[in-house]
């Protein structure tokens, strides 16, 4: 047992090297899309002195989200200060380091969850098995190409930091929870719970989807802690008391859901789709995300996914109803196997809870890959939980893991290479998503900046054809012609 920490440390050093290696081509890539409006044209981030006033101004200069995401904005300001300007490489290396930290936390959290479940199921209690389980999950997640936009798309540090502090919050919570169970409630336990809340607050101030973390924690409680204190008091309640409690919870939840839907409804006034169309479409989008995780074809990835057709009814397109059926099937399987394979159930629930905010009825754009940065941990977690309960021997599992790691790393490296400069990044977006108006408009801008005006003109004309109601494309077309 004594050699395991050193072996794990060496494995992580190698993994960090792999992460840096696969992302290194993209370090030279430019700021793109929302990077411009949120970072490079934001004068408040141009901090030249680390005084409280300037740092506070920078932190509160964000326009994304109701909370302004001050933690992420402050990190951009510090990048500017220490890089002495808007150095793309400094900003992107910082994102890569955050990805390494996230990978470490995924490992720690996976190890915690495995150990908790091992005491309640037939999982092996061997520390080597637990460490292998956690390392496989963390490494596959770390190099998966679906996470590239959360790393090389600089502004999505908001997402990466939210993941970082969310994982920290859950990890601290589980540490406190396990001490409470095996020892007693004490000041150190209270301190861990408090630290978990602070980490959650930091996650919220990085990006608002961290508001879902209490639901993730509740899911962990329901799957792994149902017979522990303080849940044991439920057994002492009468049937009538339990019924009243259930009715009360359902009533409050329903009222909150109705209020949230009403709040979200106003945002659709400026969208080309209705709330119902978005909800129906998101069923297909969620299945697309799952397909991208399991079958990572390089041409399925992209910065833009505005080429996804809207679902106008359950049968238009017909894949809408099949997607809904698939999702319900996954949720049913998770519920059925919650006792036999709680980690599988937890992973499935994790994925769908992680998408409740950005992949339901809010008036956001239809799809973005960075929305999977936190939820994809759940799908990978569920998959490995199924495999480790399978009849595969160790050698076959090791071969499968190495193969998957090489495939995912290769695709991420190739995507990173495509993101190494503005022109190539925009060009490959159009090749992978030929029906994306946003991709063609972006390529027109990149081609124009490179002096390739014929390509720029053709690209913006294509964007106008794909999205005739977007007046901005017509203005940009005239601008390109004037040059």
């Amino acid at each position: 047992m004594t050699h395991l920490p050193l072996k794990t440390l060496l494995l992580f050093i190698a993994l960090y090297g792999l992460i840096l290696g696969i992302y290194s081509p993209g370090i030279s890539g430019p700021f793109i899309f929302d990077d411009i409006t949120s970072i490079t044209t934001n004068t408040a981030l141009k901090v030249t002195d680390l005084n409280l006033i300037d740092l506070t101004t920078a932190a509160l200069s964000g326009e994304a989200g109701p909370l302004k995401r001050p933690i992420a904005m402050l990190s951009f300001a510090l990048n500017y200060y220490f890089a002495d300007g808007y150095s793309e490489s400094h900003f992107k290396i910082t994102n890569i380091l955050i990805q390494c930290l996230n990978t470490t936390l995924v490992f720690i959290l996976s190890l915690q969850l495995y150990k908790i479940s091992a005491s309640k199921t037939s999982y092996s209690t061997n520390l080597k098995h637990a460490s292998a389980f956690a390392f496989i999950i963390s490494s596959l997640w770390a190099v998966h190409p679906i996470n590239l936009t959360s790393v090389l798309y600089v502004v999505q540090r908001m997402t990466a930091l939210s993941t970082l502090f969310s994982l920290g919050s859950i990890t601290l919570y589980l540490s406190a929870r396990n001490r409470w169970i095996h020892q007693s409630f004490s000041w150190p336990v209270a301190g861990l719970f408090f630290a978990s809340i602070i980490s959650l607050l930091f996650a919220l101030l990085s990006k608002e989807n961290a508001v879902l973390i209490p639901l993730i924690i509740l899911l962990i409680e329901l799957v792994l802690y149902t017979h522990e204190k303080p849940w044991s008091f439920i057994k002492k309640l009468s049937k009538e008391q339990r019924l009243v409690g259930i009715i009360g919870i359902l009533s409050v939840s329903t009222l909150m859901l109705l209020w949230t839907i009403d709040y979200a409804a106003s945002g659709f006034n400026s969208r080309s789709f209705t709330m119902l169309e978005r909800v129906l479409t998101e069923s297909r989008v969620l299945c697309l995300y799952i397909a991208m995780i399991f079958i990572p074809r390089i041409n399925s990835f992209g910065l833009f996914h505005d080429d996804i057709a809207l679902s106008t009814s359950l049968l238009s397109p017909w894949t809408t109803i099949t997607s809904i059926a698939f999702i319900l099937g996954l949720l049913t399987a998770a519920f059925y196997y919650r006792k036999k394979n709680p980690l599988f159930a937890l992973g499935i629930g994790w994925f769908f809870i992680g998408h409740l905010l950005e992949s339901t009825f809010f008036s956001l754009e239809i799809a973005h890959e960075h929305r999977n940065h936190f939820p994809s941990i759940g799908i990978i977690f569920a998959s490995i939980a199924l495999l480790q309960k399978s009849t595969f021997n160790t050698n076959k599992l090791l071969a499968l893991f190495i193969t998957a790691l090489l495939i995912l790393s290769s695709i991420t490296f190739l995507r990173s290479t495509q993101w190494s400069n503005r022109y190539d990044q925009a060009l490959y977006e159009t090749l992978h998503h030929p029906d994306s108006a946003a991709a063609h408009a972006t390529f027109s801008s990149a081609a124009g900046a490179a002096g390739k005006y014929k390509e720029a003109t053709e690209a913006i004309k294509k964007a106008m054809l794909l999205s005739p109601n977007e007046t901005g494309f017509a203005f940009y077309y005239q601008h390109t012609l004037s040059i």
Side-chain angles (χ1 to χ4, degrees):
M1 291 291 184
T2 55
H3 71 283
L4 187 60
L6 178 60
K7 183 179 180 181
T8 303
L9 178 62
L10 292 175
L11 284 172
F12 265 96
I13 291 173
L15 180 57
Y16 295 150
L18 178 61
I19 295 170
L20 179 60
I22 61 177
Y23 281 114
S24 59
I27 290 174
S28 61
F31 292 108
I32 56 173
F33 202 48
D34 285 346
D35 290 344
I36 310 302
T37 54
S38 295
I39 302 174
T40 61
T41 58
N42 184 348
T43 56
L45 297 182
K46 297 180 179 181
V47 174
T48 56
D49 182 31
L50 297 182
N51 61 72
L52 183 60
I53 295 176
D54 287 352
L55 292 176
T56 302
T57 302
L60 298 178
S61 66
E63 296 182 356
L67 299 180
K68 296 183 179 293
R69 305 177 184 179
I71 299 296
M73 300 307 295
L74 179 61
S75 77
F76 296 141
L78 292 174
N79 258 147
Y80 180 90
Y81 176 80
F82 288 108
D84 196 24
Y86 285 122
S87 168
E88 295 94 338
S89 59
H90 284 82
F91 279 76
K92 295 193 177 190
I93 289 171
T94 302
N95 282 15
I96 293 171
L97 293 177
I98 293 171
Q99 180 71 356
C100 290
L101 290 174
N102 275 320
T103 300
T104 307
L105 286 178
V106 171
F107 173 82
I108 295 171
L109 180 56
S110 299
L111 194 61
Q112 284 179 312
L113 293 170
Y114 185 97
K115 289 179 178 179
I116 296 167
S117 62
S119 63
K120 306 174 190 301
T121 63
S122 59
Y123 294 151
S124 170
T125 56
N126 188 296
L127 182 59
K128 288 185 179 180
H129 290 170
S131 297
F133 174 83
F135 184 77
I136 288 171
I137 291 170
S138 58
S139 56
L140 292 179
W141 178 82
V143 303
H144 203 292
I146 204 167
N147 290 325
L148 179 133
T149 54
S150 300
V151 179
L152 294 183
Y153 186 12
V154 177
V155 76
Q156 289 311 323
R157 183 183 301 175
M158 297 172 178
T159 298
L161 284 175
S162 181
T163 297
L164 179 72
F165 292 116
S166 294
L167 290 171
S169 178
I170 299 170
T171 301
L172 289 165
Y173 177 87
L174 291 179
S175 298
R177 194 73 171 89
N178 292 331
R179 287 196 181 193
W180 184 8
I181 291 170
H182 297 120
Q183 300 172 18
S184 60
F185 194 86
S186 58
W187 283 112
V189 171
L192 285 170
F193 277 128
F194 180 73
S196 174
I197 294 171
I198 295 299
S199 188
L200 176 59
L201 179 63
F202 274 47
L204 282 167
L205 295 178
S206 299
K207 191 174 182 181
E208 293 79 4
N209 54 354
V211 73
L212 299 170
I213 297 308
L215 293 180
I216 298 287
I217 291 175
L218 178 60
L219 177 67
I220 294 172
E221 286 281 348
L222 293 175
V223 173
L224 298 178
Y225 287 111
T226 50
H227 300 296
E228 309 291 351
K229 55 187 178 183
W231 294 98
S232 53
F233 85 93
I234 295 177
K235 296 180 180 179
K236 302 176 183 179
L237 298 176
S238 65
K239 290 183 178 179
E240 291 77 12
Q241 289 173 322
R242 293 182 188 181
L243 181 62
V244 170
I246 292 171
I247 292 173
I249 292 172
L250 289 176
S251 299
V252 172
S253 300
T254 302
L255 288 173
M256 289 182 63
L257 178 62
L258 291 174
W259 178 85
T260 306
I261 292 173
D262 181 66
Y263 170 80
S266 59
F268 287 89
N269 295 330
S270 58
R271 291 294 184 186
S272 60
F273 46 83
T274 65
M275 181 185 288
L276 178 60
E277 287 174 337
R278 188 179 197 277
V279 171
L280 291 174
T281 306
E282 288 304 314
S283 66
R284 292 168 39 237
V285 170
L286 287 172
C287 291
L288 172 65
Y289 290 154
I290 294 172
M292 292 167 74
I293 293 171
F294 284 108
I295 310 172
R297 296 179 298 109
I298 192 166
N299 62 344
S300 66
F301 296 104
L303 180 60
F304 305 108
H305 290 278
D306 55 315
D307 51 348
I308 296 175
L310 293 175
S311 293
T312 55
S313 71
L314 289 173
L315 298 175
S316 180
W318 63 270
T319 49
T320 305
I321 194 167
T322 57
S323 297
I324 294 172
F326 176 73
I327 291 170
L328 292 176
L330 270 182
L331 292 173
T332 301
F335 181 79
Y336 180 79
Y337 287 105
R338 69 191 186 281
K339 294 181 179 179
K340 295 179 181 178
N341 196 337
L343 295 184
F344 167 75
L346 178 61
I348 296 299
W350 180 301
F351 176 78
F352 287 111
I353 288 175
H355 276 292
L356 282 178
L357 201 64
E358 294 180 303
S359 301
T360 51
F361 47 75
F362 286 94
S363 58
L364 304 171
E365 293 180 11
I366 294 297
H368 279 298
E369 289 162 27
H370 64 259
R371 293 173 185 171
N372 290 276
H373 195 248
F374 181 81
S376 63
I377 298 170
I379 283 292
I380 296 173
F381 196 91
S383 304
I384 305 305
L386 276 181
L387 281 177
Q388 69 95 29
K389 293 278 285 185
S390 69
T391 57
F392 283 107
N393 61 43
T394 304
N395 290 335
K396 288 183 178 179
L397 285 174
L398 180 61
L400 184 63
F401 162 64
I402 293 174
T403 301
L405 190 68
L406 289 174
I407 292 172
L408 295 176
S409 299
S410 299
I411 296 171
T412 301
F413 178 80
L414 185 56
R415 285 198 76 199
S416 181
T417 303
Q418 294 174 354
W419 279 53
S420 62
N421 63 81
R422 183 183 179 188
Y423 180 85
D424 284 349
Q425 187 272 333
L427 173 63
Y428 280 105
E429 288 293 327
T430 63
L431 294 177
H432 294 167
H433 296 274
D435 294 327
S436 167
H440 286 284
T442 302
F443 177 62
S444 177
S445 177
K452 301 180 180 182
Y453 299 112
K454 182 178 180 181
E455 291 182 14
T457 305
E458 292 301 317
I460 196 63
K461 285 168 66 177
K462 179 69 173 178
M464 290 167 62
L465 288 172
L466 290 168
S467 184
N469 295 325
E470 178 55 65
T471 55
F473 293 161
F475 283 114
Y476 188 77
Y477 175 58
Q478 294 299 323
H479 173 71
T480 306
L481 290 178
S482 69
I483 297 174

